[in-house]
């Protein structure tokens, strides 16, 4: 998964008259490192939390928790990953 955007960057150039800054737009993309994706949930009724490597396993754990505690039906869920911002080179997107 990646997203591409124009990012304003500043370059400092030393010329005959000293230093000067130049702003330009460079195409960058953000790439998610696939091995770092984790899914988690937290019960809104108690302190129970879960963290799993895939989305389906996390949802199954939430349903098991609700099965044990029928009034615990609401959860905060999240997906975490590590991502890198890289300049786009050539025809990459």
């Amino acid at each position: 998964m990646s997203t591409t955007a124009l990012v304003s960057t500043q370059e400092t150039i030393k010329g005959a008259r000293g230093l000067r800054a130049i702003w330009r737009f460079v195409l960058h993309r953000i790439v998610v490192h696939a091995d770092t994706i984790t899914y988690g949930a937290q019960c809104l009724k108690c302190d129970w939390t879960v963290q799993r490597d895939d989305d389906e396993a996390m949802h199954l754990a939430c349903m098991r928790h609700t099965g044990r505690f029928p009034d615990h039906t609401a959860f905060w869920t999240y997906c975490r990953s590590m991502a890198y911002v890289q300049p786009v080179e050539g025809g990459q997107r």
Side-chain angles (χ1 to χ4, degrees), residues 5 14 16 19 26-28 30-31 35 38-39 42 44-45 49 56 59 66 68 71-72 77-78 82-83 92:
K14 183 172 182 170
L19 295 175
V26 178
L27 199 58
H28 281 73
I30 188 162
V31 180
D35 295 338
T38 57
Y39 299 90
Q42 178 181 359
L44 296 179
K45 193 90 167 175
T49 60
E56 185 178 347
H59 286 129
T66 299
R68 289 186 200 112
D71 60 335
H72 293 216
T77 61
Y78 61 87
M82 183 170 52
Q92 293 178 339

Side-chain angles (χ1 to χ4, degrees), residues 42-50 58-75:
Q42 178 181 359
C43 179
L44 296 179
K45 193 90 167 175
C46 68
D47 291 332
W48 180 86
T49 60
V50 65
M58 185 266 301
H59 286 129
L60 288 172
C62 291
M63 287 186 264
R64 274 193 230 90
H65 180 72
T66 299
R68 289 186 200 112
F69 306 98
D71 60 335
H72 293 216
T73 57
F75 300 88

Side-chain angles (χ1 to χ4, degrees), residues 11-22:
E11 294 179 21
T12 304
I13 299 175
K14 183 172 182 170
R17 297 181 186 163
L19 295 175
R20 55 174 228 217
I22 296 176

Side-chain angles (χ1 to χ4, degrees), residues 1 9 24 34 41-42 47 51-52 57 66:
M1 171 190 344
T9 60
R24 66 184 181 121
Q42 178 181 359
D47 291 332
Q51 189 169 332
R52 297 287 188 261
T66 299

